[in-house]
Amino acid sequence: MWFSDGYMFKVLSKYLLDNQPPLINPVNLLISVGGSEQSLLPFDRKLSKEKQNLLLKHRQNRKMVDNSKHLFDQLKQAKIHNLNLSYKVYPQQSHKTAAIIALQDGIQINFNIH
């Protein structure tokens, strides 16, 4: 979402403004993010101060938590027929570790497993 100066959001805005083709079949979309993607995790504090500062700056520049919420809000406001949205923040998870949990949740959401 942060890549290429938010290019994805520009494309999405254009898509939402144009006459978007309807979704014929229901689509379940889970937007998820690690809650610590803009901060440091406890084990990051074992790094040197210099590395902590670099890592924190990198994570804050990408704005993954903010951008994922913005994406969810934009899609929800669009009220796209047949688009079923879910949004989850995984506390104390990073970009790498949230993916494993999100995969399990995505499978459950897509196959309506409870």
Side-chain angles (χ1 to χ4, degrees):
M1 292 179 277
W2 59 272
F3 185 75
S4 193
D5 197 29
Y7 177 75
M8 181 190 81
F9 287 110
K10 294 171 189 159
V11 171
L12 177 61
S13 291
K14 184 177 177 346
Y15 172 78
L16 295 175
L17 287 174
D18 293 343
N19 291 328
Q20 55 199 292
L23 295 173
I24 296 166
N25 296 312
V27 172
N28 298 318
L29 176 63
L30 168 62
I31 298 172
S32 63
V33 65
S36 295
E37 290 195 45
Q38 286 179 216
S39 60
L40 294 176
L41 291 159
F43 60 83
D44 294 329
R45 304 219 183 268
K46 295 178 183 174
L47 299 170
S48 69
K49 276 292 185 196
E50 182 182 354
K51 287 185 180 181
Q52 285 182 46
N53 290 338
L54 286 172
L55 183 58
L56 184 58
K57 183 178 178 182
H58 173 70
R59 288 181 181 167
Q60 289 176 341
N61 284 339
R62 294 187 328 167
K63 299 179 185 171
M64 292 300 291
V65 177
D66 295 341
N67 283 333
S68 65
K69 179 69 168 121
H70 178 65
L71 175 61
F72 174 76
D73 290 342
Q74 234 182 336
L75 289 170
K76 187 172 177 123
Q77 275 186 328
K79 297 180 181 169
I80 300 170
H81 178 69
N82 274 336
L83 179 60
N84 305 309
L85 290 168
S86 300
Y87 179 72
K88 291 195 175 193
V89 176
Y90 300 106
Q92 295 297 307
Q93 299 300 318
S94 70
H95 192 71
K96 295 175 186 174
T97 60
I100 297 166
I101 304 165
L103 177 60
Q104 180 179 347
D105 285 346
I107 289 169
Q108 290 176 344
I109 289 168
N110 267 310
F111 294 103
N112 296 314
I113 301 169
H114 301 286

